[in-house]
Amino acid sequence: MKGLLIAVGVVFAGFVGYKIIEKKNPALFKKIKGNITNAGKNMSAMVEEAKESFYEGYAQG
């Protein structure tokens, strides 16, 4: 029971913190979301390049 109350308290504190940050700087979360999206695209491109390099090396070997 004590663990459940702690978890609820942490979720509530996180929600309140989110709302405060959103009110003070609404563009911050959009910027973070954009950075995460760009990181995912960059990682996908790197994996694709590595896969192509592997196939090229494998075809020659």
Side-chain angles (χ1 to χ4, degrees):
M1 183 70 174
K2 185 177 180 179
L4 180 62
L5 290 175
I6 291 172
V8 169
V10 168
V11 169
F12 180 75
F15 181 74
V16 170
Y18 169 79
K19 287 297 188 182
I20 290 170
I21 292 171
E22 185 180 45
K23 189 174 185 178
K24 297 270 184 188
N25 190 357
L28 180 66
F29 289 112
K30 290 179 184 177
K31 183 178 178 183
I32 291 171
K33 185 178 178 182
N35 288 342
I36 292 170
T37 301
N38 289 338
K41 289 178 183 175
N42 291 340
M43 181 61 79
S44 178
M46 288 174 45
V47 169
E48 188 65 32
E49 289 176 16
K51 185 172 79 171
E52 289 175 11
S53 296
F54 174 76
Y55 285 137
E56 289 173 2
Y58 187 72
Q60 292 178 359

